[in-house]
mmCIF file of all heavy atoms in Angstrom:
data_model
loop_
_atom_site.group_PDB
_atom_site.id
_atom_site.type_symbol
_atom_site.label_atom_id
_atom_site.label_comp_id
_atom_site.label_asym_id
_atom_site.label_seq_id
_atom_site.Cartn_x
_atom_site.Cartn_y
_atom_site.Cartn_z
ATOM 1 N N LEU A 200 -77.802 -33.965 -59.806
ATOM 2 C CA LEU A 200 -78.189 -33.711 -58.387
ATOM 3 C C LEU A 200 -78.950 -34.849 -57.794
ATOM 4 O O LEU A 200 -78.658 -35.328 -56.677
ATOM 5 C CB LEU A 200 -78.895 -32.414 -58.225
ATOM 6 C CG LEU A 200 -78.044 -31.279 -57.859
ATOM 7 C CD1 LEU A 200 -77.242 -30.741 -59.133
ATOM 8 C CD2 LEU A 200 -78.764 -30.065 -57.222
ATOM 9 N N LEU A 201 -79.948 -35.350 -58.562
ATOM 10 C CA LEU A 201 -80.786 -36.492 -58.106
ATOM 11 C C LEU A 201 -79.855 -37.683 -57.848
ATOM 12 O O LEU A 201 -80.010 -38.394 -56.781
ATOM 13 C CB LEU A 201 -81.845 -36.769 -59.072
ATOM 14 C CG LEU A 201 -83.057 -35.862 -59.064
ATOM 15 C CD1 LEU A 201 -83.889 -35.926 -60.295
ATOM 16 C CD2 LEU A 201 -83.871 -36.186 -57.840
ATOM 17 N N GLU A 202 -78.863 -37.967 -58.658
ATOM 18 C CA GLU A 202 -77.982 -39.036 -58.571
ATOM 19 C C GLU A 202 -77.210 -38.920 -57.240
ATOM 20 O O GLU A 202 -76.933 -39.869 -56.569
ATOM 21 C CB GLU A 202 -77.080 -39.328 -59.777
ATOM 22 C CG GLU A 202 -76.133 -40.414 -59.653
ATOM 23 C CD GLU A 202 -76.729 -41.804 -59.581
ATOM 24 O OE1 GLU A 202 -78.060 -41.891 -59.859
ATOM 25 O OE2 GLU A 202 -76.118 -42.804 -59.278
ATOM 26 N N ALA A 203 -76.684 -37.692 -57.028
ATOM 27 C CA ALA A 203 -75.944 -37.349 -55.891
ATOM 28 C C ALA A 203 -76.696 -37.675 -54.586
ATOM 29 O O ALA A 203 -76.209 -38.265 -53.529
ATOM 30 C CB ALA A 203 -75.377 -35.985 -55.842
ATOM 31 N N TYR A 204 -78.008 -37.321 -54.575
ATOM 32 C CA TYR A 204 -78.865 -37.531 -53.451
ATOM 33 C C TYR A 204 -79.072 -39.087 -53.224
ATOM 34 O O TYR A 204 -79.093 -39.537 -52.111
ATOM 35 C CB TYR A 204 -80.222 -36.859 -53.582
ATOM 36 C CG TYR A 204 -80.202 -35.424 -53.163
ATOM 37 C CD1 TYR A 204 -80.318 -34.345 -54.069
ATOM 38 C CD2 TYR A 204 -80.081 -35.044 -51.843
ATOM 39 C CE1 TYR A 204 -80.378 -32.973 -53.703
ATOM 40 C CE2 TYR A 204 -80.130 -33.691 -51.453
ATOM 41 C CZ TYR A 204 -80.296 -32.716 -52.371
ATOM 42 O OH TYR A 204 -80.269 -31.312 -51.951
ATOM 43 N N VAL A 205 -79.327 -39.837 -54.319
ATOM 44 C CA VAL A 205 -79.475 -41.295 -54.189
ATOM 45 C C VAL A 205 -78.243 -41.883 -53.536
ATOM 46 O O VAL A 205 -78.388 -42.670 -52.519
ATOM 47 C CB VAL A 205 -79.628 -41.934 -55.537
ATOM 48 C CG1 VAL A 205 -79.699 -43.433 -55.496
ATOM 49 C CG2 VAL A 205 -80.986 -41.445 -56.170
ATOM 50 N N VAL A 206 -77.045 -41.584 -54.068
ATOM 51 C CA VAL A 206 -75.842 -42.217 -53.558
ATOM 52 C C VAL A 206 -75.589 -41.833 -52.157
ATOM 53 O O VAL A 206 -75.129 -42.627 -51.352
ATOM 54 C CB VAL A 206 -74.727 -41.830 -54.510
ATOM 55 C CG1 VAL A 206 -73.426 -42.521 -53.976
ATOM 56 C CG2 VAL A 206 -75.020 -42.427 -55.895
ATOM 57 N N GLN A 207 -75.849 -40.556 -51.814
ATOM 58 C CA GLN A 207 -75.532 -40.136 -50.432
ATOM 59 C C GLN A 207 -76.478 -40.885 -49.424
ATOM 60 O O GLN A 207 -75.966 -41.262 -48.449
ATOM 61 C CB GLN A 207 -75.858 -38.578 -50.381
ATOM 62 C CG GLN A 207 -75.607 -38.061 -48.836
ATOM 63 C CD GLN A 207 -75.874 -36.524 -48.672
ATOM 64 O OE1 GLN A 207 -75.718 -35.781 -49.714
ATOM 65 N NE2 GLN A 207 -76.243 -36.128 -47.509
ATOM 66 N N CYS A 208 -77.714 -41.032 -49.792
ATOM 67 C CA CYS A 208 -78.675 -41.807 -48.861
ATOM 68 C C CYS A 208 -78.139 -43.195 -48.776
ATOM 69 O O CYS A 208 -78.206 -43.754 -47.599
ATOM 70 C CB CYS A 208 -80.073 -41.775 -49.603
ATOM 71 S SG CYS A 208 -80.850 -40.184 -49.456
ATOM 72 N N GLN A 209 -77.707 -43.869 -49.792
ATOM 73 C CA GLN A 209 -77.144 -45.205 -49.709
ATOM 74 C C GLN A 209 -75.976 -45.216 -48.737
ATOM 75 O O GLN A 209 -75.828 -46.099 -47.922
ATOM 76 C CB GLN A 209 -76.739 -45.747 -51.025
ATOM 77 C CG GLN A 209 -77.935 -45.999 -51.916
ATOM 78 C CD GLN A 209 -77.502 -46.578 -53.372
ATOM 79 O OE1 GLN A 209 -77.179 -45.729 -54.273
ATOM 80 N NE2 GLN A 209 -77.387 -47.831 -53.521
ATOM 81 N N ALA A 210 -75.018 -44.252 -48.903
ATOM 82 C CA ALA A 210 -73.834 -44.175 -48.159
ATOM 83 C C ALA A 210 -74.202 -44.038 -46.600
ATOM 84 O O ALA A 210 -73.657 -44.714 -45.692
ATOM 85 C CB ALA A 210 -72.963 -43.062 -48.575
ATOM 86 N N GLU A 211 -75.129 -43.148 -46.328
ATOM 87 C CA GLU A 211 -75.525 -42.872 -44.940
ATOM 88 C C GLU A 211 -76.276 -44.106 -44.325
ATOM 89 O O GLU A 211 -76.049 -44.338 -43.126
ATOM 90 C CB GLU A 211 -76.375 -41.530 -44.920
ATOM 91 C CG GLU A 211 -75.517 -40.319 -45.150
ATOM 92 C CD GLU A 211 -76.379 -39.147 -45.319
ATOM 93 O OE1 GLU A 211 -77.617 -39.218 -45.319
ATOM 94 O OE2 GLU A 211 -75.812 -37.992 -45.260
ATOM 95 N N ALA A 212 -77.046 -44.821 -45.165
ATOM 96 C CA ALA A 212 -77.654 -46.019 -44.596
ATOM 97 C C ALA A 212 -76.569 -47.029 -44.281
ATOM 98 O O ALA A 212 -76.737 -47.756 -43.285
ATOM 99 C CB ALA A 212 -78.649 -46.566 -45.598
ATOM 100 N N GLN A 213 -75.556 -47.093 -45.138
ATOM 101 C CA GLN A 213 -74.433 -48.089 -44.765
ATOM 102 C C GLN A 213 -73.677 -47.723 -43.576
ATOM 103 O O GLN A 213 -73.127 -48.517 -42.856
ATOM 104 C CB GLN A 213 -73.568 -48.240 -46.027
ATOM 105 C CG GLN A 213 -74.146 -49.027 -47.100
ATOM 106 C CD GLN A 213 -73.214 -49.461 -48.146
ATOM 107 O OE1 GLN A 213 -73.677 -50.027 -49.237
ATOM 108 N NE2 GLN A 213 -71.984 -49.291 -48.064
ATOM 109 N N GLU A 214 -73.604 -46.396 -43.196
ATOM 110 C CA GLU A 214 -73.003 -45.944 -41.938
ATOM 111 C C GLU A 214 -73.739 -46.629 -40.815
ATOM 112 O O GLU A 214 -73.133 -46.990 -39.731
ATOM 113 C CB GLU A 214 -73.159 -44.413 -41.775
ATOM 114 C CG GLU A 214 -72.169 -43.624 -42.720
ATOM 115 C CD GLU A 214 -72.088 -42.238 -42.302
ATOM 116 O OE1 GLU A 214 -71.843 -41.966 -41.062
ATOM 117 O OE2 GLU A 214 -72.134 -41.315 -43.177
ATOM 118 N N VAL A 215 -75.094 -46.738 -40.908
ATOM 119 C CA VAL A 215 -75.905 -47.336 -39.792
ATOM 120 C C VAL A 215 -75.513 -48.864 -39.690
ATOM 121 O O VAL A 215 -75.384 -49.430 -38.681
ATOM 122 C CB VAL A 215 -77.389 -47.099 -40.049
ATOM 123 C CG1 VAL A 215 -78.233 -47.843 -38.969
ATOM 124 C CG2 VAL A 215 -77.711 -45.670 -40.165
ATOM 125 N N THR A 216 -75.377 -49.481 -40.942
ATOM 126 C CA THR A 216 -74.901 -50.911 -41.015
ATOM 127 C C THR A 216 -73.583 -51.037 -40.341
ATOM 128 O O THR A 216 -73.354 -52.030 -39.585
ATOM 129 C CB THR A 216 -74.881 -51.333 -42.424
ATOM 130 O OG1 THR A 216 -76.171 -51.112 -43.062
ATOM 131 C CG2 THR A 216 -74.609 -52.854 -42.561
ATOM 132 N N ILE A 217 -72.636 -50.171 -40.632
ATOM 133 C CA ILE A 217 -71.337 -50.291 -39.991
ATOM 134 C C ILE A 217 -71.378 -50.143 -38.548
ATOM 135 O O ILE A 217 -70.778 -50.975 -37.803
ATOM 136 C CB ILE A 217 -70.391 -49.304 -40.657
ATOM 137 C CG1 ILE A 217 -70.152 -49.582 -42.168
ATOM 138 C CG2 ILE A 217 -69.040 -49.180 -39.871
ATOM 139 C CD1 ILE A 217 -69.471 -48.360 -42.912
ATOM 140 N N ALA A 218 -72.157 -49.164 -38.000
ATOM 141 C CA ALA A 218 -72.256 -49.033 -36.632
ATOM 142 C C ALA A 218 -72.843 -50.263 -35.867
ATOM 143 O O ALA A 218 -72.418 -50.697 -34.835
ATOM 144 C CB ALA A 218 -73.168 -47.812 -36.290
ATOM 145 N N ARG A 219 -73.815 -50.858 -36.606
ATOM 146 C CA ARG A 219 -74.425 -52.175 -36.133
ATOM 147 C C ARG A 219 -73.364 -53.262 -36.099
ATOM 148 O O ARG A 219 -73.272 -54.018 -35.130
ATOM 149 C CB ARG A 219 -75.580 -52.439 -36.843
ATOM 150 C CG ARG A 219 -76.382 -53.686 -36.460
ATOM 151 C CD ARG A 219 -77.071 -53.460 -35.152
ATOM 152 N NE ARG A 219 -77.843 -54.677 -34.896
ATOM 153 C CZ ARG A 219 -78.318 -54.975 -33.567
ATOM 154 N NH1 ARG A 219 -78.014 -54.154 -32.590
ATOM 155 N NH2 ARG A 219 -79.041 -56.022 -33.371
ATOM 156 N N ALA A 220 -72.577 -53.387 -37.136
ATOM 157 C CA ALA A 220 -71.640 -54.401 -37.230
ATOM 158 C C ALA A 220 -70.553 -54.254 -36.155
ATOM 159 O O ALA A 220 -70.153 -55.297 -35.555
ATOM 160 C CB ALA A 220 -71.015 -54.380 -38.642
ATOM 161 N N ILE A 221 -70.195 -53.044 -35.853
ATOM 162 C CA ILE A 221 -69.160 -52.791 -34.814
ATOM 163 C C ILE A 221 -69.748 -53.133 -33.466
ATOM 164 O O ILE A 221 -69.073 -53.869 -32.639
ATOM 165 C CB ILE A 221 -68.691 -51.348 -34.835
ATOM 166 C CG1 ILE A 221 -67.917 -51.074 -36.179
ATOM 167 C CG2 ILE A 221 -67.852 -50.981 -33.616
ATOM 168 C CD1 ILE A 221 -67.572 -49.601 -36.407
ATOM 169 N N GLU A 222 -70.915 -52.711 -33.249
ATOM 170 C CA GLU A 222 -71.607 -53.040 -31.956
ATOM 171 C C GLU A 222 -71.753 -54.512 -31.647
ATOM 172 O O GLU A 222 -71.550 -55.001 -30.559
ATOM 173 C CB GLU A 222 -73.065 -52.370 -31.966
ATOM 174 C CG GLU A 222 -73.813 -52.469 -30.704
ATOM 175 C CD GLU A 222 -75.176 -51.904 -30.699
ATOM 176 O OE1 GLU A 222 -75.512 -51.214 -31.691
ATOM 177 O OE2 GLU A 222 -75.937 -52.085 -29.809
ATOM 178 N N LEU A 223 -72.031 -55.274 -32.741
ATOM 179 C CA LEU A 223 -72.257 -56.738 -32.575
ATOM 180 C C LEU A 223 -70.926 -57.488 -32.758
ATOM 181 O O LEU A 223 -70.880 -58.703 -32.779
ATOM 182 C CB LEU A 223 -73.200 -57.203 -33.589
ATOM 183 C CG LEU A 223 -74.679 -56.691 -33.465
ATOM 184 C CD1 LEU A 223 -75.549 -57.247 -34.580
ATOM 185 C CD2 LEU A 223 -75.241 -57.166 -32.109
ATOM 186 N N LYS A 224 -69.722 -56.778 -32.875
ATOM 187 C CA LYS A 224 -68.433 -57.301 -32.876
ATOM 188 C C LYS A 224 -68.288 -58.316 -34.107
ATOM 189 O O LYS A 224 -67.858 -59.406 -33.903
ATOM 190 C CB LYS A 224 -68.026 -57.939 -31.611
ATOM 191 C CG LYS A 224 -67.874 -56.914 -30.407
ATOM 192 C CD LYS A 224 -67.567 -57.608 -29.151
ATOM 193 C CE LYS A 224 -67.140 -56.599 -28.106
ATOM 194 N NZ LYS A 224 -68.187 -55.621 -27.735
ATOM 195 N N HIS A 225 -68.796 -57.915 -35.243
ATOM 196 C CA HIS A 225 -68.588 -58.742 -36.445
ATOM 197 C C HIS A 225 -67.115 -58.733 -36.843
ATOM 198 O O HIS A 225 -66.329 -57.943 -36.335
ATOM 199 C CB HIS A 225 -69.439 -58.178 -37.578
ATOM 200 C CG HIS A 225 -70.910 -58.526 -37.534
ATOM 201 N ND1 HIS A 225 -71.251 -59.888 -37.656
ATOM 202 C CD2 HIS A 225 -72.019 -57.916 -37.355
ATOM 203 C CE1 HIS A 225 -72.627 -59.995 -37.577
ATOM 204 N NE2 HIS A 225 -73.085 -58.758 -37.353
ATOM 205 N N ALA A 226 -66.767 -59.604 -37.790
ATOM 206 C CA ALA A 226 -65.342 -59.751 -38.144
ATOM 207 C C ALA A 226 -64.801 -58.422 -38.732
ATOM 208 O O ALA A 226 -65.522 -57.781 -39.456
ATOM 209 C CB ALA A 226 -65.269 -60.852 -39.191
ATOM 210 N N PRO A 227 -63.605 -58.074 -38.331
ATOM 211 C CA PRO A 227 -63.012 -56.787 -38.836
ATOM 212 C C PRO A 227 -62.934 -56.738 -40.374
ATOM 213 O O PRO A 227 -63.057 -55.677 -40.902
ATOM 214 C CB PRO A 227 -61.580 -56.872 -38.263
ATOM 215 C CG PRO A 227 -61.662 -57.696 -37.013
ATOM 216 C CD PRO A 227 -62.726 -58.691 -37.296
ATOM 217 N N GLY A 228 -62.790 -57.946 -41.005
ATOM 218 C CA GLY A 228 -62.824 -57.990 -42.405
ATOM 219 C C GLY A 228 -64.104 -57.478 -43.112
ATOM 220 O O GLY A 228 -64.034 -56.788 -44.093
ATOM 221 N N LEU A 229 -65.290 -57.847 -42.494
ATOM 222 C CA LEU A 229 -66.560 -57.374 -42.933
ATOM 223 C C LEU A 229 -66.704 -55.865 -42.751
ATOM 224 O O LEU A 229 -67.140 -55.170 -43.621
ATOM 225 C CB LEU A 229 -67.690 -58.115 -42.277
ATOM 226 C CG LEU A 229 -69.083 -57.664 -42.567
ATOM 227 C CD1 LEU A 229 -69.462 -57.801 -44.049
ATOM 228 C CD2 LEU A 229 -70.168 -58.334 -41.768
ATOM 229 N N ILE A 230 -66.252 -55.385 -41.576
ATOM 230 C CA ILE A 230 -66.443 -53.970 -41.285
ATOM 231 C C ILE A 230 -65.512 -53.115 -42.190
ATOM 232 O O ILE A 230 -65.952 -52.138 -42.682
ATOM 233 C CB ILE A 230 -66.067 -53.682 -39.800
ATOM 234 C CG1 ILE A 230 -67.032 -54.381 -38.842
ATOM 235 C CG2 ILE A 230 -65.986 -52.257 -39.467
ATOM 236 C CD1 ILE A 230 -66.595 -54.485 -37.436
ATOM 237 N N ALA A 231 -64.341 -53.700 -42.467
ATOM 238 C CA ALA A 231 -63.401 -52.980 -43.349
ATOM 239 C C ALA A 231 -63.972 -52.872 -44.830
ATOM 240 O O ALA A 231 -63.916 -51.826 -45.435
ATOM 241 C CB ALA A 231 -62.036 -53.619 -43.395
ATOM 242 N N ALA A 232 -64.615 -53.936 -45.257
ATOM 243 C CA ALA A 232 -65.154 -53.985 -46.608
ATOM 244 C C ALA A 232 -66.429 -53.019 -46.693
ATOM 245 O O ALA A 232 -66.528 -52.333 -47.729
ATOM 246 C CB ALA A 232 -65.604 -55.386 -46.947
ATOM 247 N N LEU A 233 -67.230 -53.060 -45.705
ATOM 248 C CA LEU A 233 -68.384 -52.180 -45.663
ATOM 249 C C LEU A 233 -67.948 -50.680 -45.626
ATOM 250 O O LEU A 233 -68.468 -49.807 -46.329
ATOM 251 C CB LEU A 233 -69.269 -52.424 -44.424
ATOM 252 C CG LEU A 233 -70.199 -53.591 -44.525
ATOM 253 C CD1 LEU A 233 -70.809 -54.000 -43.223
ATOM 254 C CD2 LEU A 233 -71.290 -53.401 -45.581
ATOM 255 N N ALA A 234 -66.897 -50.372 -44.865
ATOM 256 C CA ALA A 234 -66.401 -48.997 -44.737
ATOM 257 C C ALA A 234 -65.834 -48.568 -46.081
ATOM 258 O O ALA A 234 -65.987 -47.461 -46.528
ATOM 259 C CB ALA A 234 -65.321 -48.919 -43.667
ATOM 260 N N TYR A 235 -65.118 -49.490 -46.815
ATOM 261 C CA TYR A 235 -64.582 -49.296 -48.027
ATOM 262 C C TYR A 235 -65.617 -48.928 -49.147
ATOM 263 O O TYR A 235 -65.515 -48.034 -49.904
ATOM 264 C CB TYR A 235 -63.655 -50.415 -48.491
ATOM 265 C CG TYR A 235 -62.864 -50.207 -49.864
ATOM 266 C CD1 TYR A 235 -62.025 -49.165 -50.022
ATOM 267 C CD2 TYR A 235 -63.171 -51.100 -50.902
ATOM 268 C CE1 TYR A 235 -61.322 -49.061 -51.218
ATOM 269 C CE2 TYR A 235 -62.512 -51.002 -52.075
ATOM 270 C CZ TYR A 235 -61.650 -49.979 -52.273
ATOM 271 O OH TYR A 235 -61.006 -49.746 -53.465
ATOM 272 N N GLU A 236 -66.580 -49.813 -49.128
ATOM 273 C CA GLU A 236 -67.697 -49.559 -50.018
ATOM 274 C C GLU A 236 -68.432 -48.290 -49.796
ATOM 275 O O GLU A 236 -68.844 -47.513 -50.715
ATOM 276 C CB GLU A 236 -68.747 -50.705 -49.930
ATOM 277 C CG GLU A 236 -68.182 -52.119 -50.207
ATOM 278 C CD GLU A 236 -68.303 -52.548 -51.635
ATOM 279 O OE1 GLU A 236 -68.553 -51.670 -52.479
ATOM 280 O OE2 GLU A 236 -68.229 -53.711 -51.894
ATOM 281 N N THR A 237 -68.562 -47.875 -48.504
ATOM 282 C CA THR A 237 -69.223 -46.632 -48.155
ATOM 283 C C THR A 237 -68.316 -45.484 -48.578
ATOM 284 O O THR A 237 -68.922 -44.422 -49.112
ATOM 285 C CB THR A 237 -69.445 -46.611 -46.602
ATOM 286 O OG1 THR A 237 -70.241 -47.766 -46.171
ATOM 287 C CG2 THR A 237 -70.208 -45.340 -46.184
ATOM 288 N N ALA A 238 -67.094 -45.532 -48.399
ATOM 289 C CA ALA A 238 -66.171 -44.470 -48.855
ATOM 290 C C ALA A 238 -66.282 -44.311 -50.295
ATOM 291 O O ALA A 238 -66.298 -43.120 -50.873
ATOM 292 C CB ALA A 238 -64.673 -44.813 -48.512
ATOM 293 N N ASN A 239 -66.448 -45.345 -51.096
ATOM 294 C CA ASN A 239 -66.580 -45.305 -52.564
ATOM 295 C C ASN A 239 -67.886 -44.642 -52.942
ATOM 296 O O ASN A 239 -67.910 -43.881 -53.898
ATOM 297 C CB ASN A 239 -66.549 -46.730 -53.167
ATOM 298 C CG ASN A 239 -65.113 -47.196 -53.151
ATOM 299 O OD1 ASN A 239 -64.114 -46.557 -53.064
ATOM 300 N ND2 ASN A 239 -64.971 -48.548 -53.304
ATOM 301 N N PHE A 240 -68.988 -44.922 -52.177
ATOM 302 C CA PHE A 240 -70.290 -44.182 -52.367
ATOM 303 C C PHE A 240 -70.065 -42.716 -52.295
ATOM 304 O O PHE A 240 -70.527 -41.913 -53.091
ATOM 305 C CB PHE A 240 -71.314 -44.677 -51.395
ATOM 306 C CG PHE A 240 -72.103 -45.860 -51.877
ATOM 307 C CD1 PHE A 240 -72.459 -46.889 -51.065
ATOM 308 C CD2 PHE A 240 -72.618 -45.894 -53.204
ATOM 309 C CE1 PHE A 240 -73.270 -47.943 -51.537
ATOM 310 C CE2 PHE A 240 -73.356 -46.925 -53.679
ATOM 311 C CZ PHE A 240 -73.715 -48.004 -52.785
ATOM 312 N N TYR A 241 -69.422 -42.263 -51.200
ATOM 313 C CA TYR A 241 -69.243 -40.847 -50.962
ATOM 314 C C TYR A 241 -68.358 -40.236 -52.030
ATOM 315 O O TYR A 241 -68.641 -39.106 -52.535
ATOM 316 C CB TYR A 241 -68.577 -40.559 -49.635
ATOM 317 C CG TYR A 241 -69.615 -40.596 -48.468
ATOM 318 C CD1 TYR A 241 -69.641 -41.548 -47.468
ATOM 319 C CD2 TYR A 241 -70.630 -39.681 -48.401
ATOM 320 C CE1 TYR A 241 -70.487 -41.600 -46.398
ATOM 321 C CE2 TYR A 241 -71.665 -39.594 -47.407
ATOM 322 C CZ TYR A 241 -71.556 -40.598 -46.466
ATOM 323 O OH TYR A 241 -72.481 -40.670 -45.441
#
Side-chain angles (χ1 to χ4, degrees):
L200 263 79
L201 282 160
E202 180 63 18
Y204 275 112
V205 171
V206 177
Q207 180 181 332
C208 288
Q209 288 178 275
E211 290 174 348
Q213 282 189 193
E214 289 193 46
V215 180
T216 305
I217 292 167
R219 181 70 175 158
I221 292 170
E222 185 184 349
L223 295 178
K224 295 181 169 56
H225 280 295
L229 173 62
I230 297 169
L233 282 170
Y235 180 62
E236 302 266 19
T237 303
N239 286 341
F240 267 139
Y241 278 117

